[in-house]
Amino acid sequence: MLGELAVERRGMDVSNEGASTLDQVVPVSRRTLHDELVGRIRDLIIEGHLAPESRIHEGQLGQALGVSRTPLREALKFLASEGLIELVPGRGAVVRRLTPRDVRDMLDVLAALETTAARLACQRASDAEIASLRRLHDEMMGYYAVRARLEYFKRNQAFHAGLATLSGNAFLAATHEGIQSRLRRIRFVGSDAPAKWAGAVAEHEEMVLALEARDAERLAAVIARHLEATWVRVQDVI
Amino acid sequence: MLGELAVERRGMDVSNEGASTLDQVVPVSRRTLHDELVGRIRDLIIEGHLAPESRIHEGQLGQALGVSRTPLREALKFLASEGLIELVPGRGAVVRRLTPRDVRDMLDVLAALETTAARLACQRASDAEIASLRRLHDEMMGYYAVRARLEYFKRNQAFHAGLATLSGNAFLAATHEGIQSRLRRIRFVGSDAPAKWAGAVAEHEEMVLALEARDAERLAAVIARHLEATWVRVQDVI
DNA sequence: CGCAAGAATGCTGTATGCAGGATGATAGGA
DNA sequence: TCCTATCATCCTGCATACAGCATTCTTGCG
């Protein structure tokens, strides 16, 4: 289960070479071991390689990732703050299981955030931004047409994240992203059945149309309906 | 600045002694060093003892708190995930400064959460729960009458947290609490002037009345107005 | 045969050690 | 005098070491 996980440490990554002005220079993002581990472990949990309720063995996981316990533990604390794992005194970290209640609650919060984002986006977003979201949607529809479920799903998530970003409220977008990532696994397995899938696609189409018309209330209503439907779709996989 | 901070380690704290059934036994909450440190450092930041933009010196702070660097660093990672500090590779932890933009964005998210909580609370909360929130409000008014600003402020925060709890959505309440704690310092210093203070009090009174009438829309509207006013009140202290 | 008490093992929680990079000081040159 | 380059110091990031508590296995007793 934990084979071939070793972390590859990357040095600094100088991008943005040909910038002519210094105003828009993005700081060199050097990937630290901490970030790398946080991302990696988060994926292990979301993708189900670390099962809910299971204890995380620091020694084993550390060895599998090729890292000592110290940075690993630090990454675990970080993830605990995100709510993905629980720290049990004396027994270490346990992967948190989402109860139906948790999922329902999180979807309600997600709805509150997305409808707020929707209203803001209808006011603030530029035509170009809306057009780029439309492109993302069309791309998604392309993957839907050929039933490429994973690729479709990624665009789907990106679409919702993009909508949050278009609100112009970075904090909202970040909060939204945090919740969405925690629900990712459940939503993925919940979109399994073709009928469910089709429903979600139709709702997305409506959302794009409402956004293009900058009809905030209609967009908010569709989003609320979409997330209500999501709840129905995921209910039997929790 | 960092004198007399030493952490006192507490052993297990057996509460809930006289429980007759085992159903409602709450797990013994033993305060771990980790939790203690997280709480302590969070307070140091919120109360302004660790200034924004300033680097956190692991050695110094660890010595001041009477703790080695390891648990301290773990606590810092945890707080970084909450967004209170920023981890700069090679330079350690830096206390994050909230820009006006950040505060504005956070207040908008807070508004989205509280209005949602308000609607849910109007449906779901019991009369007893509403009454207890009323008592909290009255208590707050008492402190207002005698101009006990700190005590008043604590009840104020508790009131908003209580409203979030009454939504019955634990995740919403937790998310709300996280944001509220990050805004605590700014809101406190922002409620300095008597005129501002009086305005906030009046809005609270309206909120309680709307909640008692279970008038969800009116309550949501008051909350939105309250947070808009908060923005005005805090604007010049950022 | 089942249960309980005790010992042994293993894991977590915390401290310490060490290497590499960042920061600051000092000296040399323009 | 100011700027720059080099060096010394300090701090962070990671690894390792050790103590104490959980868990599990075993053994003795009912």
Side-chain angles (χ1 to χ4, degrees):
Chain A
M1 192 177 196
L2 289 177
E4 308 305 319
L5 290 175
V7 171
E8 176 193 334
R9 287 177 221 191
R10 305 171 197 165
M12 40 169 75
D13 200 77
V14 182
S15 48
N16 216 300
E17 276 184 31
S20 53
T21 85
L22 285 172
D23 301 342
Q24 51 190 350
V25 169
V26 168
V28 185
S29 78
R30 45 175 178 185
R31 200 112 175 97
T32 64
L33 186 53
H34 172 80
D35 291 340
E36 182 71 32
L37 282 175
V38 167
R40 202 67 89 76
I41 300 171
R42 191 191 286 121
D43 288 348
L44 287 177
I45 294 174
I46 291 173
E47 289 165 17
H49 296 108
L50 291 172
E53 309 277 288
S54 71
R55 281 178 62 175
I56 294 179
H57 195 296
E58 296 174 359
Q60 268 172 236
L61 185 57
Q63 200 167 4
L65 291 165
V67 166
S68 90
R69 284 179 54 218
T70 307
L72 180 73
R73 281 177 59 85
E74 293 179 354
L76 290 177
K77 305 288 179 185
F78 195 93
L79 292 169
S81 180
E82 286 185 7
L84 266 128
I85 61 184
E86 201 173 347
L87 298 174
V88 184
R91 262 187 291 178
V94 177
V95 180
R96 189 134 166 218
R97 152 159 280 134
L98 290 184
T99 65
R101 179 83 218 202
D102 290 332
V103 174
R104 174 76 237 197
D105 284 356
M106 289 168 77
L107 283 173
D108 280 345
V109 173
L110 214 52
L113 294 178
E114 282 198 26
T115 52
T116 301
R119 287 184 238 278
L120 292 172
C122 283
Q123 297 175 216
R124 299 178 182 172
S126 69
D127 289 338
E129 287 173 324
I130 292 178
S132 93
L133 207 61
R134 152 66 79 180
R135 272 196 299 282
L136 188 61
H137 171 74
D138 291 342
E139 213 176 299
M140 186 187 85
M141 293 301 279
Y143 286 112
Y144 172 63
V146 298
R147 298 293 185 274
R149 186 150 152 267
L150 182 57
E151 291 305 316
Y152 159 84
F153 187 74
K154 283 181 184 171
R155 292 341 180 263
N156 187 328
Q157 297 278 102
F159 179 85
H160 284 275
L163 187 64
T165 304
L166 256 51
S167 71
N169 183 328
F171 183 77
L172 194 163
T175 307
H176 177 273
E177 174 59 31
I179 301 173
Q180 185 170 250
S181 83
R182 285 182 62 184
L183 288 174
R184 210 167 86 195
R185 177 167 184 73
I186 285 177
R187 292 182 88 166
F188 183 64
V189 294
S191 67
D192 202 352
K196 295 178 177 177
W197 197 353
V201 166
E203 286 151 20
H204 266 249
E205 181 66 39
E206 281 189 77
M207 287 168 60
V208 175
L209 290 173
L211 179 61
E212 284 174 336
R214 291 182 186 273
D215 186 339
E217 290 317 309
R218 185 165 131 235
L219 179 54
V222 176
I223 288 171
R225 188 150 42 82
H226 180 59
L227 287 168
E228 198 56 46
T230 297
W231 168 240
V232 176
R233 285 193 279 267
V234 302
Q235 219 157 358
D236 47 308
V237 299
I238 304 174
Chain B
M1 193 177 195
L2 289 176
E4 308 304 319
L5 291 175
V7 170
E8 177 191 332
R9 288 177 220 190
R10 305 171 195 166
M12 40 169 76
D13 199 78
V14 182
S15 50
N16 215 300
E17 276 184 32
S20 53
T21 85
L22 285 172
D23 302 341
Q24 53 188 351
V25 169
V26 168
V28 185
S29 78
R30 45 175 177 185
R31 198 115 176 96
T32 64
L33 184 53
H34 172 81
D35 291 341
E36 182 71 31
L37 282 175
V38 167
R40 201 68 88 78
I41 300 171
R42 190 191 286 123
D43 287 348
L44 286 177
I45 294 174
I46 291 173
E47 289 165 18
H49 296 108
L50 290 173
E53 309 275 290
S54 71
R55 281 178 61 174
I56 295 178
H57 196 296
E58 296 174 359
Q60 270 172 236
L61 185 56
Q63 199 166 5
L65 292 164
V67 166
S68 91
R69 284 178 54 218
T70 308
L72 181 72
R73 281 176 59 86
E74 293 180 352
L76 290 178
K77 306 288 179 184
F78 194 93
L79 291 169
S81 180
E82 286 185 9
L84 265 122
I85 62 184
E86 200 173 348
L87 297 175
V88 184
R91 262 187 290 178
V94 177
V95 180
R96 189 134 167 218
R97 153 158 280 135
L98 290 184
T99 65
R101 177 87 220 196
D102 290 333
V103 174
R104 173 77 238 196
D105 284 357
M106 289 169 77
L107 283 173
D108 281 345
V109 172
L110 214 52
L113 294 177
E114 281 198 26
T115 52
T116 300
R119 286 184 239 276
L120 291 172
C122 284
Q123 297 175 217
R124 299 178 181 172
S126 70
D127 289 338
E129 287 173 324
I130 291 178
S132 95
L133 206 61
R134 152 65 80 181
R135 272 196 299 281
L136 189 59
H137 170 75
D138 290 342
E139 213 176 299
M140 186 187 85
M141 294 301 280
Y143 286 111
Y144 172 63
V146 298
R147 297 294 184 273
R149 186 151 152 266
L150 182 59
E151 290 304 315
Y152 159 84
F153 186 74
K154 284 182 184 171
R155 301 319 184 279
N156 187 330
Q157 297 278 101
F159 179 85
H160 284 274
L163 186 64
T165 304
L166 257 51
S167 71
N169 183 329
F171 183 77
L172 194 162
T175 307
H176 178 274
E177 173 61 29
I179 300 172
Q180 185 169 250
S181 85
R182 285 182 60 184
L183 288 173
R184 209 168 87 196
R185 177 165 184 75
I186 285 177
R187 292 182 86 165
F188 182 65
V189 294
S191 67
D192 201 352
K196 295 177 177 179
W197 195 355
V201 166
E203 287 151 20
H204 265 249
E205 181 67 38
E206 281 188 76
M207 287 169 60
V208 175
L209 290 173
L211 179 62
E212 285 174 335
R214 291 182 186 271
D215 187 338
E217 291 317 309
R218 184 164 132 237
L219 179 53
V222 176
I223 289 171
R225 187 150 44 82
H226 180 58
L227 288 169
E228 197 58 43
T230 297
W231 168 241
V232 176
R233 285 192 279 267
V234 301
Q235 218 156 358
D236 47 308
V237 298
I238 303 176

